[in-house]
């Protein structure tokens, strides 16, 4: 047998390992006639080295990138560095993930040769089968030799059970994705617009297979990726606690007495209106974690504009119940939401203080106009000096954490990119029309 016909070089970063592991999970069980290799580039130099070595063999080389929208500008600069160190006609740089799906033209103009549109598993398998030839493969955007944009449509969505959630062949593990898509369609969130506004759940039997694989390899902690944990097994906005218990009981049994199950904690959260004593006691029965509650704002008016589907009262109720049931509660809040006025800001700060006084911690964010969302064209989130001082006070008392300051810079870059790539037919009138902030004394 000769050398590889196709080499996949992953720009492998800690922030995006899950996406790559899901792709490799699908690839690892896929039967193909193509001779291929997978290599992991953990920094600029090693990625360039893998590209040089692979290109020298005569193989076709695909460099796979995955990144979130806030990282797009930094990764474009890194792409330039790698191209300067290693490039050849046989090398194709392919970007995937939510940013590439939402902004394929931006992605191509930033220097990538191709953008993957939608869920990448079936697209990658087709590319491998075709030895890297993109002809006739759905789920791609690229420019032809004349510079015309070619879009082949989003890749077909498949049941989660069709592919493993991590890469056993390469011994790469991560939190297990149990749900894709979200029926709630919050205006600031990319999830429902990347994966559709409905739930697709991994079956309990399939989840248990994953847990058994983990235990066999000596792993002890089971964590889940889901946009709303207590929605597991549901197709509506109501939780399905019977399905949740079946899931957690199977996982707890599977991981064994020395293992732990985490549910409703990072990298997932629980919606406040789903919190009940019954749900909390169910989590307590099987799991070993604190809980993240998604609040986002202390203003009912802003929550309504964002189509959150709950109010401030449900947030306070969820925090109180959680603390009464013995959980450490972390609450996600976003500052600088589109259309906020001073009264909304004060409502959010009041909620943050009240939650802190209860014993909860605030996970603070700054609003970012993320591509692919209804608020893509909104102004960047901004936080006034007095709010910054109040947030800093909460941080100093240990009641608040997060990268909200860094997100202010990301928000400005994303807004500038949206301005540079206007969307015909899209208008800022999608934003709530509210009075301008009053001048404070």
């Amino acid at each position: 047998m000769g050398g590889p016909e196709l080499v996949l070089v992953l720009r492998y970063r800690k922030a995006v390992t899950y996406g790559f592991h899901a792709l490799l999970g699908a690839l690892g069980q896929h039967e193909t006639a193509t001779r291929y290799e997978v290599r992991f580039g953990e920094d600029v130099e090693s990625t360039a080295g893998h590209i040089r070595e692979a290109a020298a063999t005569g193989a076709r080389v695909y460099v796979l990138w995955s990144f979130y929208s806030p990282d797009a500008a930094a990764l474009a600069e890194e792409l330039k560095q790698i191209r300067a160190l290693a490039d050849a006609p046989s090398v194709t740089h392919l970007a995937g993930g939510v940013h590439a799906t939402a902004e394929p033209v931006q992605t191509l103009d930033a220097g990538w040769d191709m953008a993957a549109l939608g869920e990448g598993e079936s697209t990658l398998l087709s590319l491998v089968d075709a030895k890297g030839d993109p002809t006739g493969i759905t789920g791609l955007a690229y420019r032809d030799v004349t510079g015309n944009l070619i879009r082949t449509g989003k890749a077909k969505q498949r049941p989660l059970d069709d592919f493993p959630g991590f890469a056993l062949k390469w011994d790469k593990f991560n939190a297990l994705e149990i749900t894709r898509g979200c029926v709630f369609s919050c205006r600031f969130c990319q999830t429902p617009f990347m994966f559709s506004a409905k739930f697709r759940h991994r079956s309990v039997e399939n989840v248990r297979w994953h847990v058994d694989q983990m235990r066999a390899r000596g792993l002890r902690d089971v964590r889940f990726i889901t946009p709303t944990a207590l929605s597991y097994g549901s197709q509506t906005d109501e939780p399905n606690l019977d399905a949740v218990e079946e899931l957690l009981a199977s996982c707890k049994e599977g991981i064994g007495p020395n293992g732990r199950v985490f549910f409703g904690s990072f990298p997932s959260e629980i919606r406040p209106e789903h919190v009940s004593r019954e749900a909390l006691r169910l989590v307590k029965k099987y799991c070993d974690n604190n809980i993240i509650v998604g609040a986002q704002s202390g203003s009912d008016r802003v929550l309504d504009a964002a189509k959150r589907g709950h109010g401030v009262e449900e947030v306070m109720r969820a925090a109180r119940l959680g603390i009464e049931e013995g959980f450490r509660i972390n609450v996600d809040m976003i500052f600088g939401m589109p259309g906020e006025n001073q009264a909304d800001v004060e409502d959010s700060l009041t909620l943050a203080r009240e939650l802190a006084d209860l014993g909860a911690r605030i996970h603070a964010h700054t609003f970012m106009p993320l591509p692919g969302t209804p608020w893509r064209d909104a102004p960047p989130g901004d936080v006034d000096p007095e709010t910054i001082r109040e947030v800093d006070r909460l941080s100093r008392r240990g009641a608040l954490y997060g990268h909200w300051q860094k997100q202010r810079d990301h928000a400005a870059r994303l807004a500038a990119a949206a301005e540079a790539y206007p969307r015909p037919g899209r208008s800022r009138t999608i934003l709530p029309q509210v009075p301008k902030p009053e001048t404070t004394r």
Side-chain angles (χ1 to χ4, degrees), residues 250-301:
S250 180
C251 290
K252 185 67 174 177
E253 178 185 64
I255 202 63
N258 296 320
R260 300 183 298 176
V261 179
F262 296 82
F263 185 81
S265 61
F266 185 81
S268 63
E269 64 178 32
I270 292 177
R271 291 181 61 85
E273 74 272 27
H274 288 176
V275 175
S276 64
R277 290 199 188 277
E278 181 184 5
L280 292 168
R281 290 172 181 176
L282 180 59
V283 175
K284 179 77 74 174
K285 179 179 179 181
Y286 296 105
C287 303
D288 296 88
N289 57 272
N290 299 315
I291 283 175
I292 298 177
V293 173
Q296 318 312 352
S297 176
S299 164
D300 282 326
R301 194 178 63 80

Side-chain angles (χ1 to χ4, degrees), residues 9 46-56 61 63 82 86-88 91 93:
V9 178
S46 65
T47 303
H50 287 309
I51 294 170
R52 282 194 299 270
E53 292 172 6
V61 182
V63 187
I82 290 174
D87 210 358
V91 177
H93 288 268

Side-chain angles (χ1 to χ4, degrees), residues 228-232 238-241 244 263 269-270 274-275 279 283:
T228 158
L230 287 173
S231 293
Y232 178 78
E238 295 294 326
N240 183 342
L241 296 187
V244 170
F263 185 81
E269 64 178 32
I270 292 177
H274 288 176
V275 175
V283 175

